[in-house]
Structure formats: C-alpha cells, structure tokens
Coordinates of all heavy atoms in Angstrom, one line a residue:
N1 N -2.1 16.7 2.6 CA -2.2 16.6 1.2 C -2.5 15.1 0.8 O -2.0 14.2 1.4 CB -0.9 16.9 0.5 CG -0.6 18.4 0.7 OD1 -1.5 19.2 0.8 ND2 0.7 18.8 0.6
L2 N -3.4 14.9 -0.2 CA -3.8 13.6 -0.6 C -3.4 13.4 -2.0 O -3.5 14.3 -2.9 CB -5.3 13.5 -0.5 CG -6.0 12.2 -0.8 CD1 -5.6 11.1 0.3 CD2 -7.5 12.3 -0.7
V3 N -2.9 12.2 -2.3 CA -2.4 11.8 -3.7 C -3.2 10.6 -4.2 O -3.4 9.7 -3.4 CB -0.9 11.5 -3.7 CG1 -0.5 11.1 -5.0 CG2 -0.1 12.6 -3.2
S4 N -3.7 10.7 -5.4 CA -4.3 9.5 -6.1 C -3.3 9.0 -7.1 O -2.8 9.8 -7.9 CB -5.6 9.9 -6.7 OG -6.1 8.9 -7.4
V5 N -3.0 7.7 -7.0 CA -1.9 7.2 -7.9 C -2.6 6.1 -8.7 O -3.3 5.2 -8.2 CB -0.8 6.5 -7.1 CG1 0.2 5.9 -8.0 CG2 -0.2 7.5 -6.1
G6 N -2.4 6.2 -10.0 CA -3.0 5.3 -11.0 C -2.3 3.9 -11.0 O -1.2 3.8 -10.5
Y7 N -2.9 2.9 -11.6 CA -2.4 1.6 -11.6 C -1.0 1.5 -12.2 O -0.2 0.7 -11.8 CB -3.4 0.6 -12.3 CG -2.9 -0.8 -12.3 CD1 -2.9 -1.6 -11.2 CD2 -2.3 -1.4 -13.5 CE1 -2.5 -2.9 -11.2 CE2 -1.9 -2.7 -13.5 CZ -2.0 -3.4 -12.4 OH -1.5 -4.7 -12.4
Q8 N -0.7 2.2 -13.3 CA 0.5 2.1 -13.9 C 1.6 2.9 -13.3 O 2.7 3.0 -13.7 CB 0.4 2.6 -15.4 CG -0.7 1.9 -16.2 CD -0.2 0.4 -16.4 OE1 1.0 0.2 -16.5 NE2 -1.2 -0.5 -16.4
S9 N 1.4 3.6 -12.1 CA 2.3 4.5 -11.5 C 3.0 3.9 -10.2 O 3.3 4.6 -9.3 CB 1.6 5.8 -11.1 OG 1.0 6.4 -12.2
K10 N 3.3 2.6 -10.3 CA 3.9 1.9 -9.1 C 5.2 2.5 -8.8 O 5.6 2.6 -7.6 CB 4.0 0.4 -9.3 CG 2.7 -0.3 -9.3 CD 2.9 -1.8 -9.5 CE 1.5 -2.5 -9.5 NZ 1.7 -3.9 -9.6
L11 N 6.0 3.1 -9.8 CA 7.2 3.6 -9.5 C 7.1 4.9 -8.7 O 7.9 5.2 -7.8 CB 8.0 3.9 -10.8 CG 8.5 2.6 -11.6 CD1 9.1 3.0 -12.9 CD2 9.4 1.8 -10.7
S12 N 6.2 5.8 -9.1 CA 6.0 7.0 -8.4 C 5.4 6.8 -7.0 O 5.5 7.7 -6.1 CB 5.1 8.0 -9.2 OG 3.9 7.5 -9.4
L13 N 4.8 5.7 -6.7 CA 4.2 5.3 -5.4 C 5.3 5.4 -4.4 O 5.0 6.0 -3.3 CB 3.5 4.0 -5.5 CG 2.8 3.5 -4.3 CD1 1.6 4.6 -3.9 CD2 2.1 2.2 -4.5
T14 N 6.4 4.8 -4.6 CA 7.5 4.9 -3.6 C 7.9 6.3 -3.3 O 8.1 6.6 -2.1 CB 8.7 4.1 -4.2 OG1 8.3 2.8 -4.5 CG2 9.9 4.1 -3.2
K15 N 8.0 7.1 -4.3 CA 8.3 8.6 -4.0 C 7.3 9.2 -3.0 O 7.7 9.9 -2.1 CB 8.3 9.3 -5.4 CG 8.6 10.8 -5.2 CD 8.6 11.5 -6.5 CE 7.2 11.7 -7.0 NZ 7.0 12.6 -8.1
F16 N 6.0 8.9 -3.2 CA 5.0 9.6 -2.4 C 5.1 9.0 -0.9 O 4.7 9.7 0.0 CB 3.6 9.3 -2.9 CG 3.4 10.1 -4.2 CD1 2.9 9.4 -5.4 CD2 3.6 11.4 -4.3 CE1 2.7 10.1 -6.5 CE2 3.4 12.1 -5.5 CZ 2.9 11.5 -6.6
T17 N 5.5 7.7 -0.8 CA 5.6 7.1 0.6 C 6.7 7.8 1.4 O 6.7 7.6 2.6 CB 5.8 5.7 0.5 OG1 7.0 5.3 0.0 CG2 4.6 5.0 -0.2
L18 N 7.6 8.5 0.8 CA 8.7 9.1 1.5 C 8.5 10.6 1.7 O 9.3 11.3 2.3 CB 10.0 8.8 0.7 CG 10.4 7.4 0.6 CD1 11.6 7.2 -0.4 CD2 10.7 6.8 1.9
D19 N 7.4 11.2 1.1 CA 7.2 12.6 1.1 C 6.5 13.0 2.4 O 5.4 12.6 2.7 CB 6.3 13.0 -0.1 CG 6.2 14.5 -0.3 OD1 6.3 15.2 0.7 OD2 6.0 14.9 -1.4
K20 N 7.2 13.8 3.2 CA 6.7 14.3 4.5 C 5.5 15.1 4.4 O 4.7 15.4 5.3 CB 7.7 14.9 5.3 CG 9.0 14.1 5.6 CD 8.8 13.1 6.6 CE 10.1 12.4 7.0 NZ 9.9 11.3 7.8
N21 N 5.2 15.7 3.2 CA 4.1 16.6 3.0 C 2.8 15.8 2.6 O 1.8 16.4 2.4 CB 4.4 17.6 1.9 CG 5.6 18.5 2.3 OD1 5.5 19.0 3.5 ND2 6.5 18.7 1.5
I22 N 2.9 14.5 2.4 CA 1.7 13.7 2.0 C 1.2 13.0 3.2 O 2.0 12.5 4.0 CB 2.2 12.6 1.0 CG1 2.8 13.3 -0.3 CG2 1.0 11.8 0.6 CD1 1.8 14.1 -1.1
N23 N -0.1 13.1 3.4 CA -0.6 12.3 4.6 C -1.6 11.2 4.1 O -2.1 10.5 5.0 CB -1.3 13.3 5.6 CG -2.4 14.1 5.0 OD1 -2.9 13.8 3.9 ND2 -2.8 15.2 5.7
G24 N -1.8 11.1 2.8 CA -2.7 10.0 2.3 C -2.5 9.8 0.9 O -2.2 10.6 0.1
I25 N -2.7 8.5 0.6 CA -2.6 8.0 -0.8 C -3.8 7.2 -1.1 O -4.2 6.4 -0.3 CB -1.3 7.1 -1.0 CG1 -0.1 8.0 -0.8 CG2 -1.3 6.6 -2.5 CD1 1.2 7.1 -0.7
V26 N -4.4 7.4 -2.3 CA -5.6 6.6 -2.7 C -5.2 5.8 -3.9 O -4.7 6.3 -4.9 CB -6.8 7.5 -3.1 CG1 -7.9 6.7 -3.5 CG2 -7.1 8.4 -1.9
L27 N -5.5 4.5 -3.8 CA -5.3 3.5 -4.9 C -6.6 2.9 -5.2 O -7.5 2.8 -4.4 CB -4.2 2.5 -4.5 CG -2.8 2.9 -4.1 CD1 -2.0 1.8 -3.6 CD2 -2.2 3.5 -5.3
C28 N -6.7 2.4 -6.4 CA -7.9 1.7 -6.8 C -8.2 0.4 -6.1 O -9.2 0.1 -5.6 CB -7.9 1.4 -8.4 SG -7.9 2.8 -9.4
S29 N -7.0 -0.3 -5.9 CA -7.1 -1.6 -5.2 C -5.8 -2.0 -4.5 O -4.8 -1.4 -4.8 CB -7.4 -2.7 -6.3 OG -7.3 -4.0 -5.8
V30 N -5.9 -3.0 -3.6 CA -4.7 -3.4 -3.0 C -3.7 -4.0 -4.0 O -2.5 -4.1 -3.8 CB -4.9 -4.5 -1.9 CG1 -5.6 -3.9 -0.7 CG2 -5.6 -5.7 -2.4
Y31 N -4.3 -4.4 -5.2 CA -3.5 -5.0 -6.2 C -2.7 -4.0 -7.1 O -2.1 -4.4 -8.0 CB -4.3 -6.0 -7.0 CG -4.7 -7.2 -6.2 CD1 -6.0 -7.3 -5.7 CD2 -3.8 -8.2 -5.8 CE1 -6.4 -8.3 -4.9 CE2 -4.2 -9.2 -5.0 CZ -5.5 -9.3 -4.5 OH -5.8 -10.3 -3.6
C32 N -2.8 -2.7 -6.7 CA -2.0 -1.7 -7.3 C -0.7 -1.6 -6.5 O 0.2 -0.9 -6.9 CB -2.7 -0.3 -7.2 SG -4.1 -0.2 -8.3
L33 N -0.6 -2.3 -5.4 CA 0.7 -2.4 -4.6 C 1.7 -3.3 -5.4 O 1.2 -4.1 -6.2 CB 0.4 -3.0 -3.2 CG -0.4 -2.1 -2.2 CD1 -0.7 -2.9 -1.0 CD2 0.4 -0.9 -1.9
P34 N 2.9 -3.2 -5.1 CA 3.9 -4.0 -5.8 C 3.6 -5.5 -5.7 O 3.2 -6.0 -4.6 CB 5.2 -3.6 -5.2 CG 5.0 -2.3 -4.6 CD 3.6 -2.2 -4.2
D35 N 3.8 -6.3 -6.7 CA 3.6 -7.7 -6.7 C 4.7 -8.4 -5.8 O 4.4 -9.3 -5.1 CB 3.7 -8.3 -8.1 CG 2.6 -7.9 -9.0 OD1 1.5 -7.6 -8.4 OD2 2.8 -7.8 -10.2
N36 N 5.9 -7.9 -5.8 CA 7.0 -8.4 -5.0 C 6.6 -8.1 -3.6 O 6.5 -7.0 -3.1 CB 8.3 -7.7 -5.4 CG 9.5 -8.3 -4.7 OD1 9.5 -8.2 -3.5 ND2 10.4 -8.8 -5.5
P37 N 6.6 -9.2 -2.7 CA 6.3 -9.0 -1.3 C 7.3 -8.2 -0.6 O 6.9 -7.5 0.4 CB 6.1 -10.4 -0.8 CG 6.7 -11.4 -1.8 CD 6.7 -10.6 -3.1
F38 N 8.6 -8.3 -0.9 CA 9.6 -7.5 -0.2 C 9.4 -6.0 -0.5 O 9.5 -5.2 0.4 CB 11.0 -8.0 -0.6 CG 11.2 -9.4 -0.2 CD1 11.2 -10.4 -1.1 CD2 11.4 -9.7 1.2 CE1 11.4 -11.8 -0.7 CE2 11.6 -11.1 1.5 CZ 11.6 -12.1 0.6
K39 N 9.2 -5.7 -1.8 CA 9.0 -4.3 -2.2 C 7.7 -3.8 -1.6 O 7.6 -2.6 -1.1 CB 8.9 -4.1 -3.7 CG 10.2 -4.4 -4.4 CD 10.0 -4.2 -5.9 CE 11.4 -4.4 -6.6 NZ 11.3 -4.3 -8.1
R40 N 6.6 -4.6 -1.5 CA 5.3 -4.2 -0.9 C 5.6 -3.9 0.6 O 5.1 -2.9 1.1 CB 4.3 -5.3 -1.1 CG 2.9 -4.9 -0.7 CD 1.9 -5.9 -1.1 NE 2.2 -7.3 -0.7 CZ 2.4 -8.3 -1.5 NH1 2.5 -8.2 -2.8 NH2 2.7 -9.5 -1.0
H41 N 6.3 -4.8 1.2 CA 6.5 -4.6 2.7 C 7.3 -3.3 2.9 O 7.0 -2.5 3.8 CB 7.3 -5.8 3.2 CG 7.6 -5.6 4.7 ND1 6.6 -5.9 5.7 CD2 8.7 -5.2 5.3 CE1 7.2 -5.6 6.8 NE2 8.5 -5.3 6.7
R42 N 8.3 -3.0 2.1 CA 9.2 -1.8 2.3 C 8.3 -0.6 2.1 O 8.4 0.4 2.8 CB 10.4 -1.8 1.4 CG 11.3 -0.6 1.6 CD 12.6 -0.7 0.8 NE 12.3 -0.8 -0.6 CZ 12.8 -1.7 -1.4 NH1 13.5 -2.7 -1.0 NH2 12.5 -1.7 -2.7
L43 N 7.5 -0.6 1.0 CA 6.7 0.5 0.7 C 5.7 0.8 1.8 O 5.5 2.0 2.3 CB 5.9 0.2 -0.6 CG 5.0 1.4 -1.2 CD1 5.3 1.5 -2.7 CD2 3.6 1.1 -0.8
I44 N 5.0 -0.2 2.3 CA 4.0 0.0 3.4 C 4.8 0.4 4.7 O 4.2 1.3 5.4 CB 3.2 -1.3 3.6 CG1 2.4 -1.6 2.4 CG2 2.2 -1.1 4.9 CD1 1.4 -0.6 2.0
Q45 N 5.9 -0.1 5.0 CA 6.6 0.3 6.1 C 7.0 1.8 6.1 O 6.9 2.5 7.1 CB 7.9 -0.5 6.3 CG 8.7 -0.3 7.6 CD 7.8 -0.8 8.8 OE1 7.1 -1.8 8.7 NE2 7.9 -0.1 9.8
N46 N 7.4 2.2 4.9 CA 7.6 3.7 4.7 C 6.4 4.5 5.0 O 6.5 5.6 5.7 CB 8.1 4.0 3.3 CG 9.4 3.5 2.9 OD1 10.2 3.2 3.8 ND2 9.7 3.4 1.7
T47 N 5.2 4.1 4.6 CA 4.0 4.8 4.9 C 3.7 4.9 6.3 O 3.3 5.9 6.9 CB 2.8 4.3 4.1 OG1 2.5 3.0 4.5 CG2 3.0 4.4 2.6
I48 N 3.8 3.8 7.0 CA 3.6 3.7 8.4 C 4.5 4.6 9.2 O 4.1 5.3 10.1 CB 3.6 2.2 8.9 CG1 2.5 1.4 8.4 CG2 3.5 2.1 10.5 CD1 2.5 -0.1 8.5
E49 N 5.8 4.5 8.9 CA 6.8 5.3 9.6 C 6.6 6.8 9.3 O 6.9 7.6 10.2 CB 8.2 4.9 9.1 CG 8.7 3.6 9.6 CD 10.0 3.1 9.0 OE1 10.5 3.9 8.1 OE2 10.4 2.0 9.3
N50 N 6.0 7.2 8.2 CA 5.8 8.6 7.9 C 4.4 9.1 8.1 O 3.9 10.1 7.6 CB 6.2 8.9 6.4 CG 7.7 8.8 6.2 OD1 8.5 9.3 6.9 ND2 8.1 8.0 5.2
N51 N 3.6 8.2 8.8 CA 2.2 8.5 9.1 C 1.3 8.9 7.9 O 0.5 9.8 7.9 CB 2.1 9.7 10.1 CG 2.7 9.3 11.4 OD1 2.5 8.2 11.9 ND2 3.6 10.2 12.0
I52 N 1.5 8.1 6.9 CA 0.8 8.2 5.6 C -0.2 7.1 5.6 O 0.1 5.9 5.7 CB 1.7 8.2 4.4 CG1 2.7 9.4 4.4 CG2 0.9 8.2 3.1 CD1 3.8 9.3 3.4
K53 N -1.5 7.4 5.3 CA -2.6 6.4 5.2 C -2.7 6.1 3.7 O -2.5 6.9 2.8 CB -3.9 6.9 5.7 CG -3.9 7.3 7.2 CD -5.2 7.8 7.6 CE -5.1 8.3 9.1 NZ -6.3 9.0 9.5
I54 N -2.9 4.7 3.4 CA -3.2 4.4 2.1 C -4.6 3.8 2.0 O -4.9 2.8 2.7 CB -2.2 3.2 1.6 CG1 -0.8 3.7 1.6 CG2 -2.6 2.8 0.2 CD1 0.2 2.8 1.1
A55 N -5.4 4.4 1.2 CA -6.8 4.0 1.0 C -7.0 3.2 -0.3 O -6.4 3.6 -1.3 CB -7.8 5.2 1.0
F56 N -7.8 2.1 -0.3 CA -8.0 1.3 -1.4 C -9.5 1.4 -1.8 O -10.4 0.9 -1.0 CB -7.6 -0.1 -1.2 CG -6.2 -0.3 -0.7 CD1 -5.9 -0.4 0.6 CD2 -5.1 -0.2 -1.6 CE1 -4.6 -0.5 1.1 CE2 -3.8 -0.3 -1.2 CZ -3.5 -0.5 0.1
A57 N -9.8 2.0 -2.9 CA -11.2 2.3 -3.2 C -12.1 1.0 -3.4 O -13.1 0.9 -2.9 CB -11.3 3.1 -4.5
N58 N -11.6 0.0 -4.2 CA -12.3 -1.2 -4.4 C -12.7 -2.0 -3.2 O -13.7 -2.6 -3.0 CB -11.6 -2.1 -5.5 CG -11.6 -1.5 -6.9 OD1 -12.3 -0.6 -7.2 ND2 -10.8 -2.1 -7.7
E59 N -11.7 -2.0 -2.2 CA -11.8 -2.8 -1.0 C -12.5 -2.0 0.1 O -12.8 -2.6 1.1 CB -10.5 -3.4 -0.6 CG -9.9 -4.4 -1.5 CD -9.2 -3.9 -2.8 OE1 -9.0 -2.7 -2.8 OE2 -8.8 -4.6 -3.6
D60 N -12.6 -0.7 -0.1 CA -13.1 0.2 0.9 C -12.4 -0.1 2.2 O -12.9 -0.3 3.3 CB -14.6 -0.1 1.1 CG -15.3 1.0 2.0 OD1 -14.7 2.1 2.1 OD2 -16.3 0.8 2.6
F61 N -11.0 0.0 2.1 CA -10.1 -0.3 3.2 C -9.0 0.7 3.3 O -8.5 1.2 2.2 CB -9.6 -1.7 3.0 CG -8.8 -2.2 4.2 CD1 -9.4 -2.6 5.4 CD2 -7.4 -2.2 4.1 CE1 -8.6 -3.1 6.5 CE2 -6.6 -2.7 5.2 CZ -7.3 -3.1 6.4
V62 N -8.5 1.0 4.5 CA -7.4 2.0 4.7 C -6.3 1.3 5.6 O -6.6 0.7 6.6 CB -7.9 3.2 5.4 CG1 -6.7 4.1 5.6 CG2 -8.9 3.9 4.6
I63 N -5.0 1.4 5.1 CA -3.9 1.0 5.9 C -3.5 2.2 6.7 O -3.1 3.2 6.1 CB -2.7 0.4 5.1 CG1 -3.1 -0.9 4.4 CG2 -1.5 0.2 6.0 CD1 -2.0 -1.4 3.5
E64 N -3.6 2.0 8.0 CA -3.1 3.1 9.0 C -2.0 2.6 9.9 O -1.4 3.4 10.5 CB -4.3 3.5 9.8 CG -5.4 4.1 8.9 CD -6.5 4.7 9.8 OE1 -6.2 5.7 10.6 OE2 -7.7 4.2 9.7
N65 N -1.9 1.3 10.1 CA -0.9 0.7 11.0 C -0.5 -0.7 10.6 O -0.9 -1.2 9.6 CB -1.5 0.7 12.4 CG -2.9 0.0 12.4 OD1 -3.0 -1.1 11.9 ND2 -3.9 0.6 13.0
K66 N 0.4 -1.2 11.4 CA 1.0 -2.5 11.1 C -0.1 -3.7 11.0 O -0.1 -4.5 10.2 CB 2.0 -2.9 12.1 CG 2.8 -4.2 11.9 CD 3.8 -4.0 10.8 CE 4.7 -5.3 10.7 NZ 5.4 -5.3 9.5
E67 N -1.1 -3.6 11.9 CA -2.1 -4.5 11.9 C -2.9 -4.6 10.6 O -3.3 -5.6 10.0 CB -3.1 -4.4 13.1 CG -2.5 -4.7 14.4 CD -1.6 -3.6 14.9 OE1 -1.7 -2.4 14.5 OE2 -0.6 -3.9 15.7
D68 N -3.2 -3.4 10.1 CA -3.9 -3.2 8.8 C -3.1 -3.8 7.7 O -3.6 -4.5 6.8 CB -4.2 -1.8 8.4 CG -5.2 -1.1 9.4 OD1 -5.9 -1.8 10.1 OD2 -5.1 0.2 9.5
F69 N -1.8 -3.6 7.7 CA -0.9 -4.1 6.7 C -0.9 -5.6 6.8 O -0.8 -6.3 5.7 CB 0.5 -3.5 6.9 CG 1.5 -4.1 5.9 CD1 1.3 -4.1 4.6 CD2 2.7 -4.7 6.4 CE1 2.2 -4.7 3.7 CE2 3.6 -5.2 5.5 CZ 3.4 -5.2 4.2
N70 N -0.9 -6.2 8.0 CA -0.8 -7.6 8.1 C -2.1 -8.2 7.5 O -2.1 -9.3 6.8 CB -0.8 -8.1 9.6 CG 0.6 -7.8 10.2 OD1 1.6 -7.6 9.4 ND2 0.7 -7.6 11.4
L71 N -3.3 -7.6 7.6 CA -4.5 -8.0 7.0 C -4.4 -8.0 5.5 O -4.8 -9.0 4.8 CB -5.7 -7.1 7.4 CG -7.0 -7.5 6.9 CD1 -7.4 -9.0 7.3 CD2 -8.1 -6.5 7.4
V72 N -3.8 -7.0 4.9 CA -3.6 -6.9 3.5 C -2.7 -8.1 3.0 O -2.9 -8.7 2.0 CB -3.1 -5.6 3.0 CG1 -2.6 -5.6 1.6 CG2 -4.1 -4.4 3.2
N73 N -1.6 -8.3 3.8 CA -0.7 -9.4 3.4 C -1.5 -10.8 3.4 O -1.2 -11.6 2.6 CB 0.5 -9.5 4.4 CG 1.6 -8.7 3.8 OD1 1.7 -8.4 2.6 ND2 2.5 -8.3 4.7
N74 N -2.4 -10.9 4.4 CA -3.2 -12.1 4.4 C -4.0 -12.2 3.2 O -4.2 -13.3 2.6 CB -4.1 -12.2 5.7 CG -3.3 -12.4 6.9 OD1 -2.2 -12.9 6.9 ND2 -3.8 -12.0 8.1
W75 N -4.6 -11.1 2.7 CA -5.3 -11.2 1.4 C -4.5 -11.7 0.3 O -5.0 -12.5 -0.5 CB -5.9 -9.8 1.1 CG -7.0 -9.3 2.0 CD1 -7.7 -10.0 2.9 CD2 -7.4 -7.9 2.1 NE1 -8.5 -9.2 3.6 CE2 -8.4 -7.9 3.1 CE3 -7.1 -6.8 1.5 CZ2 -9.1 -6.7 3.4 CZ3 -7.7 -5.6 1.7 CH2 -8.7 -5.6 2.8
F76 N -3.2 -11.1 0.2 CA -2.4 -11.6 -0.9 C -2.1 -13.1 -0.7 O -2.0 -13.8 -1.7 CB -1.0 -10.8 -0.8 CG -1.1 -9.5 -1.6 CD1 -1.4 -8.3 -1.0 CD2 -0.9 -9.4 -3.0 CE1 -1.5 -7.1 -1.6 CE2 -0.9 -8.3 -3.7 CZ -1.2 -7.1 -3.0
T77 N -1.9 -13.6 0.5 CA -1.6 -14.9 0.7 C -2.9 -15.8 0.4 O -2.7 -16.9 -0.3 CB -1.3 -15.2 2.2 OG1 -0.1 -14.5 2.5 CG2 -1.0 -16.7 2.5
F78 N -4.0 -15.4 0.8 CA -5.3 -16.2 0.5 C -5.6 -16.2 -1.0 O -6.0 -17.2 -1.5 CB -6.4 -15.6 1.4 CG -7.6 -16.4 1.3 CD1 -7.8 -17.7 1.9 CD2 -8.7 -15.9 0.5 CE1 -8.9 -18.4 1.8 CE2 -9.9 -16.7 0.4 CZ -10.0 -17.9 1.1
Y79 N -5.6 -15.0 -1.6 CA -6.1 -14.8 -2.9 C -5.0 -15.1 -4.0 O -5.3 -15.1 -5.2 CB -6.8 -13.5 -3.2 CG -8.1 -13.4 -2.3 CD1 -8.2 -12.6 -1.3 CD2 -9.2 -14.1 -2.7 CE1 -9.3 -12.4 -0.5 CE2 -10.4 -14.0 -2.0 CZ -10.4 -13.2 -0.9 OH -11.6 -13.1 -0.2
G80 N -3.8 -15.0 -3.6 CA -2.7 -15.1 -4.5 C -2.1 -13.8 -4.8 O -2.7 -12.7 -4.6
E81 N -0.9 -13.8 -5.2 CA -0.1 -12.6 -5.5 C -0.7 -11.8 -6.7 O -0.6 -10.6 -6.9 CB 1.3 -12.8 -5.7 CG 2.0 -13.3 -4.5 CD 2.1 -12.3 -3.4 OE1 2.2 -11.1 -3.6 OE2 2.1 -12.7 -2.2
H82 N -1.4 -12.6 -7.6 CA -1.9 -11.9 -8.9 C -3.4 -12.2 -9.1 O -3.8 -12.5 -10.2 CB -1.1 -12.5 -10.1 CG 0.4 -12.3 -10.0 ND1 1.0 -11.1 -10.2 CD2 1.3 -13.2 -9.6 CE1 2.3 -11.3 -10.0 NE2 2.5 -12.5 -9.6
A83 N -4.1 -12.1 -8.0 CA -5.6 -12.4 -8.1 C -6.3 -11.4 -9.0 O -5.8 -10.4 -9.4 CB -6.2 -12.3 -6.7

C-alpha cells in the first residue's frame, strides 16, 4: 500500500511510519519532513525499521536505507533547516 501525505499532514505522517500495512509514502519534498532534527530522525528510523520507503517528488529521491537518510540530513545541513 502506498500513501501520499500532504504538506500540512506532518502529524499523520508519524502514524503511517508505524503502520505495518504501508510499504511506501510519497511526499512533495524532503521539506515536508519535520523541521526538528530529532523528530525527523525518529520518523525516518521508524520507516527504515518497518521497511517503508519514502519518496520525494520534487527531489526525485527515495529513502530506502540509512545511507539515503544520511544524504537527506546532509541536504538539511547544507541548505538549512528551513530552505
């Protein structure tokens, strides 16, 4: 099952990362992830542990593993938390 989550739905995003019936989430951009780095890390860790992929339409990128997540974190570091 694939879920598309809108920009204003950050609260429901956490719910989907814990759902064993979801195998993919589509977001408009990496900047739809939580601004708080600790919340962002926990959310992505949940997806990796539950084998859920997160696709970002604007960046044409998918987080499938820890290495992908590290790359996204580098983007936040380089471009800033609120680019």
Side-chain angles (χ1 to χ4, degrees):
N1 295 334
L2 185 65
V3 176
S4 176
V5 180
Y7 181 75
Q8 300 297 327
S9 302
K10 290 182 182 180
L11 294 176
S12 63
L13 184 57
T14 301
K15 177 181 78 169
F16 292 126
T17 65
L18 299 172
D19 188 332
K20 302 285 186 187
N21 296 313
I22 301 294
N23 57 15
I25 298 171
V26 178
L27 298 173
C28 294
S29 172
V30 295
Y31 294 103
C32 291
L33 292 171
D35 294 330
N36 181 303
F38 298 106
K39 289 180 181 178
R40 186 170 57 244
H41 180 79
R42 185 173 60 232
L43 185 135
I44 298 300
Q45 189 64 37
N46 288 342
T47 63
I48 292 169
E49 289 173 0
N50 291 311
N51 295 316
I52 298 171
K53 298 176 185 176
I54 300 182
F56 305 100
N58 290 346
E59 292 82 7
D60 192 24
F61 187 77
V62 178
I63 293 179
E64 299 183 62
N65 54 47
K66 185 74 171 165
E67 291 77 24
D68 296 337
F69 176 53
N70 290 338
L71 181 58
V72 169
N73 269 340
N74 288 341
W75 291 346
F76 275 95
T77 301
F78 184 77
Y79 293 109
E81 296 293 328
H82 304 284

